[in-house]
Amino acid sequence: MKNLLVVIGVVLSLSGCMNTKSVDVVSDTKISDPKVIAMSGSRGPWVYEIEKRLRSKGFQIKRMASQNSAIEQVSDTKQTIYKEASANYILHIDGDASNDPMQRCFGGGYTFSHIDVELVDIVKNETVFHYSNSGFSEGCFPMSGTIFGDIAELTNNSWQ
């Protein structure tokens, strides 16, 4: 009986550590454009981990979606000024993982209360995929997750 209570206690405590990963791929069409994306949203220190994995897969990362102003002559008397996109795809990231040494993982990873990532095609104004999760990232021994790798792989799989 005592062993049964210990097993139940362990199962209940470990179930609280499970991730809540949700992946929704909206577009099945593979992107044929160059691997250039802009990143927007929160700039926590863990965002660099995502950037690093994307660069290793051949992506060029832009810090801002629009950097150049363009002027277009609409008619003889009218000009239009607009921001020209530096990338046709934006990886929007919203997440919360503390960088406090008391809350970081021993292996250098992060514990996320939540992370939501959406790849947006700004030309079509459509979502390509949405990813959400919580829990441990890579580098959280012994409970390491795959959050950063999941995001990089989903993004890479969106291209041909």
Side-chain angles (χ1 to χ4, degrees):
M1 183 65 170
K2 188 175 185 179
N3 289 339
L4 180 62
L5 290 176
V6 170
V7 170
I8 291 172
V10 169
V11 168
L12 287 176
S13 65
L14 288 178
S15 67
C17 297
M18 297 175 111
N19 70 19
T20 57
K21 181 165 61 172
S22 170
V23 177
D24 187 17
V25 178
V26 179
S27 175
D28 293 332
T29 306
K30 298 289 186 181
I31 300 167
S32 60
D33 294 344
K35 289 183 169 184
V36 179
I37 59 172
M39 295 182 75
S40 73
S42 61
R43 287 299 303 174
W46 41 267
V47 173
Y48 177 70
E49 294 296 326
I50 298 168
E51 287 182 14
K52 187 168 55 174
R53 284 164 176 79
L54 288 170
R55 283 191 180 100
S56 74
K57 293 184 178 297
F59 283 89
Q60 182 181 4
I61 308 296
K62 301 288 185 180
R63 296 290 299 139
M64 302 290 172
S66 295
Q67 296 176 340
N68 303 322
S69 293
I71 301 173
E72 182 178 337
Q73 191 72 36
V74 178
S75 70
D76 291 338
T77 59
K78 185 176 178 183
Q79 288 182 335
T80 301
I81 300 172
Y82 59 93
K83 292 290 188 182
E84 189 174 58
S86 59
N88 290 337
Y89 300 90
I90 299 175
L91 192 66
H92 182 75
I93 302 171
D94 177 42
D96 184 33
S98 178
N99 199 30
D100 183 307
M102 298 303 291
Q103 296 179 356
R104 289 276 308 267
C105 299
F106 290 118
Y110 297 89
T111 305
F112 283 89
S113 63
H114 77 278
I115 184 166
D116 292 296
V117 178
E118 184 176 30
L119 181 65
V120 178
D121 178 337
I122 63 169
V123 173
K124 296 178 182 176
N125 197 22
E126 295 177 350
T127 298
V128 177
F129 72 76
H130 178 263
Y131 171 89
S132 69
N133 204 347
S134 64
F136 301 106
S137 73
E138 293 84 342
C140 284
F141 180 80
M143 302 292 284
S144 288
T146 59
I147 291 173
F148 303 140
D150 290 347
I151 295 166
E153 197 61 34
L154 267 170
T155 305
N156 192 50
N157 288 341
S158 297
W159 265 260
Q160 291 180 346

